[in-house]
Amino acid sequence: MSTIQAPERLKPDATPPPSLYADRVKVYPKTVKGPVRRVKWAVLILCLALYYVVPWLRWDRGPGAPDQAVLVDITNGRLFFFFIEIWPQEVYFLTGLLVLGAIGLFVATSLFGRVWCGFACPQTVWTDLFMWVERLVQGDRNERMRLDKQPWTLEKLRKKGLTHAAWLVIAAATGGAWIMYFNDAPTVTVDLLTGGASLDVYFFFGLFTATTYVLAGWAREQVCTYMCPWPRFQAAMLDENSLVVSYRDWRGEPRGKAKADGVGDCVDCQACVNVCPTGIDIRDGQQLECIGCGLCIDACDDIMMRLDRPKGLIAFETLSNLAASTAATKALPPSSARCGTGMEVRQTPRFIRPRTLLYAGMLGAVVAIMLGAWLLRQTVTLSVLRDRAPLFVTLSDGGVRNAYTLKIANKDRDIGTYALVLDSRTPLLMQVQEAPGERPMVTTRPDGITQWRVLLTQPPGTPTRASIPVTFRLVDGRGRTVISESSIFLGPEAR
């Protein structure tokens, strides 16, 4: 009989197995100046300005309607975007916008790599803002590193406290601005400051304040590396013609001191590593952690200018050009001639290629569908709900009656008046409560839903059928059918 042996214990001098967990190494990005950094500042200011200012924009929609230009009115089931008003039944427009955003992101990635992550992603924008505050209070990279290593003193407490206080103010403004997209901005601001807001408002205000503070102040690059799914499948949208942040190793290798012989242009100064917000070395090639911000380009170009060497050791480059330059300079020693030869064999990036054409076609198709749906959008809709309990009623004179509830949604801000017309191959009598007459007139309230109770009666002596198709039509003053909806009239089985 076999026996199960207990696992052997490690001897005191044995080497333990390596741990699968690694502590986070804090990243201290250094300040950098250059054209890429200026573009990032411009995008940051634009994104923050739009986010904080848009809820305060006004748009006159007439009496009784909210005058906030962009508002998600959950209470009344409306989404207002300037002159556009979307009802809950039109949620497909929001779906279309999400699809457009996704395809647009695919196009941008196939052309320029992770340009969204590096410039316009909310995580990047707010992290950049938080790091700017941190540098303003605590100093640049070396000063922050020294400050963290120092024991806790009043000066360190003052700088750290001021930094986190500023972060909390920005986070609170961010959470408050998000709430304003769902409530009237001036009203909810006063309510928040005076304690008059609802518990729901305070809950979401606190939630978005806390998440902004934690993600932009503490998590930072960990969000991009571990939490965001986008880096995991972005490679499927890249090809050899996508412009991505790249290190031209054919020019920079082998690395060495600036005045050494037989070395490339890279002097191993670590400037590209020190400015990276995720703490990676771009010289190791494309990596999941790289967000494509391009700050390493500015840092490297600054070093090249100081050494009186051509800029572009790190640049937005395609993999096909990297391969061509590597092949052309393989036999050449490090020199200005090698740099010139490598740049000469480069080709202009091909932005029009099968992948981008496919994405552009998809983008155009979705735009056309949404535009067509918007142009064909009906401002009056009709829904017919037939009573199910009972299915029909047999009257004392032998007639059969069905009851219906008609719901008319009027998306205009004017009162609508229509004639209700019944189409049926079998003679049926129509009676509309509170609207007498053979051709009853029904009205709709502006920007709302009106219900009407309708009774259809099959006169006695009429041949009975189990099911009779009927159609209700709304006819305007010029005799045009505005909207129609079909239903059925149920009766006893024919004998």
Side-chain angles (χ1 to χ4, degrees):
M1 182 176 65
S2 63
T3 59
I4 300 176
Q5 297 181 351
E8 296 182 1
R9 295 184 179 180
L10 291 174
K11 297 179 180 180
D13 57 346
T15 302
S19 174
L20 298 179
Y21 172 79
D23 291 332
R24 178 200 178 194
V25 178
K26 187 174 181 180
V27 180
Y28 297 87
K30 185 179 180 181
T31 304
V32 62
K33 296 180 181 179
V36 177
R37 178 67 264 187
R38 287 194 292 270
V39 172
K40 281 180 64 66
W41 281 129
V43 174
L44 180 146
I45 293 172
L46 176 62
C47 291
L48 291 177
L50 288 174
Y51 179 78
Y52 289 119
V53 173
V54 164
W56 295 91
L57 300 179
R58 303 290 102 181
W59 189 269
D60 186 12
R61 297 186 179 89
D67 63 348
Q68 187 162 310
V70 179
L71 177 66
V72 181
D73 190 354
I74 296 179
T75 303
N76 298 311
R78 301 287 189 278
L79 191 153
F80 298 98
F81 186 82
F82 294 92
F83 63 92
I84 298 175
E85 179 179 345
I86 297 178
W87 285 44
Q89 300 93 322
E90 299 171 322
V91 69
Y92 52 84
F93 284 115
L94 296 182
T95 304
L97 287 177
L98 292 176
V99 173
L100 280 177
I103 299 176
L105 196 55
F106 297 163
V107 173
T109 302
S110 64
L111 291 175
F112 307 109
R114 292 180 64 178
V115 63
W116 161 262
C117 299
F119 290 83
C121 174
Q123 174 65 19
T124 297
V125 170
W126 265 269
T127 298
D128 256 3
L129 180 61
F130 274 45
M131 287 194 297
W132 175 78
V133 171
E134 189 177 45
R135 287 192 295 265
L136 190 65
V137 176
Q138 301 180 21
D140 207 353
R141 170 184 164 85
N142 293 335
E143 294 174 280
R144 297 198 306 275
M145 295 175 67
R146 286 196 298 267
L147 183 67
D148 283 352
K149 293 179 180 178
Q150 293 175 2
W152 285 97
T153 61
L154 289 178
E155 179 65 12
K156 183 174 181 178
L157 283 172
R158 182 187 69 83
K159 289 184 176 181
K160 291 289 186 179
L162 185 58
T163 300
H164 288 273
W167 286 355
L168 286 172
V169 171
I170 296 172
T174 303
W178 181 257
I179 297 299
M180 295 174 192
Y181 283 92
F182 299 85
N183 300 270
D184 182 66
T187 303
V188 76
T189 301
V190 174
D191 291 343
L192 282 171
L193 296 177
T194 59
S198 65
L199 290 177
D200 292 342
V201 170
Y202 280 114
F203 170 78
F204 285 104
F205 169 73
L207 176 65
F208 285 99
T209 299
T211 52
T212 303
Y213 173 74
V214 172
L215 297 182
W218 292 90
R220 294 189 178 179
E221 78 284 350
Q222 296 182 96
V223 176
C224 305
T225 304
Y226 301 109
M227 297 174 62
C228 181
W230 182 238
R232 270 73 188 172
F233 57 84
Q234 66 158 342
M237 284 158 250
L238 297 175
D239 58 27
E240 66 277 4
N241 291 300
S242 301
L243 274 175
V244 294
V245 179
S246 305
Y247 166 65
R248 289 172 172 149
D249 55 352
W250 56 266
R251 172 185 160 186
E253 303 295 329
R255 306 170 194 173
K257 294 183 179 181
K259 296 182 180 180
D261 295 329
V263 297
D265 284 342
C266 180
V267 295
D268 207 14
C269 62
Q270 299 292 311
C272 56
V273 179
N274 293 337
V275 301
C276 180
T278 59
I280 67 167
D281 190 340
I282 191 62
R283 297 172 297 178
D284 294 336
Q286 292 188 9
Q287 300 159 67
L288 179 146
E289 297 88 352
C290 179
I291 62 174
C293 65
L295 294 180
C296 53
I297 297 176
D298 285 342
C300 186
D301 283 351
D302 180 62
I303 299 298
M304 292 296 104
M305 289 178 62
R306 295 183 186 183
L307 298 176
D308 196 22
R309 297 181 181 180
K311 296 189 294 184
L313 179 58
I314 300 176
F316 285 98
E317 182 63 288
T318 66
L319 294 180
S320 61
N321 279 339
L322 282 177
S325 298
T326 300
T329 59
K330 187 176 182 179
L332 298 178
S335 62
S336 58
R338 182 174 76 165
C339 180
T341 301
M343 297 301 291
E344 286 177 1
V345 298
R346 294 180 64 255
Q347 295 183 353
T348 303
R350 292 173 50 238
F351 295 121
I352 300 177
R353 51 188 193 271
R355 181 186 298 265
T356 57
L357 289 175
L358 175 62
Y359 290 146
M362 295 169 58
L363 197 66
V366 175
V367 170
I369 292 173
M370 289 189 61
L371 182 60
W374 179 258
L375 294 176
L376 298 175
R377 178 177 182 256
Q378 295 175 327
T379 57
V380 178
T381 61
L382 173 65
S383 61
V384 179
L385 304 176
R386 191 181 58 80
D387 288 2
R388 297 182 179 272
L391 292 177
F392 60 88
V393 175
T394 302
L395 303 179
S396 59
D397 60 359
V400 179
R401 173 174 293 173
N402 283 195
Y404 303 81
T405 299
L406 271 59
K407 292 185 177 182
I408 306 174
N410 181 15
K411 300 174 185 177
D412 288 333
R413 298 205 168 271
D414 298 321
I415 297 176
T417 303
Y418 305 96
L420 181 61
V421 178
L422 175 68
D423 293 333
S424 172
R425 289 178 294 180
T426 301
L428 297 173
L429 301 178
M430 181 174 62
Q431 178 184 355
V432 181
Q433 295 181 357
E434 300 182 1
E438 295 182 359
R439 192 178 174 89
M441 304 297 293
V442 295
T443 59
T444 62
R445 66 187 183 92
D447 192 38
I449 298 176
T450 308
Q451 293 189 13
W452 293 88
R453 190 69 173 168
V454 179
L455 302 176
L456 296 184
T457 304
Q458 185 178 19
T462 305
T464 59
R465 295 174 57 188
S467 176
I468 302 173
V470 295
T471 301
F472 296 91
R473 293 189 294 121
L474 295 181
V475 180
D476 61 13
R478 290 181 289 181
R480 298 184 308 173
T481 299
V482 177
I483 188 70
S484 62
E485 185 70 15
S486 299
S487 185
I488 58 173
F489 180 92
L490 296 180
E493 292 287 345
R495 295 181 181 178

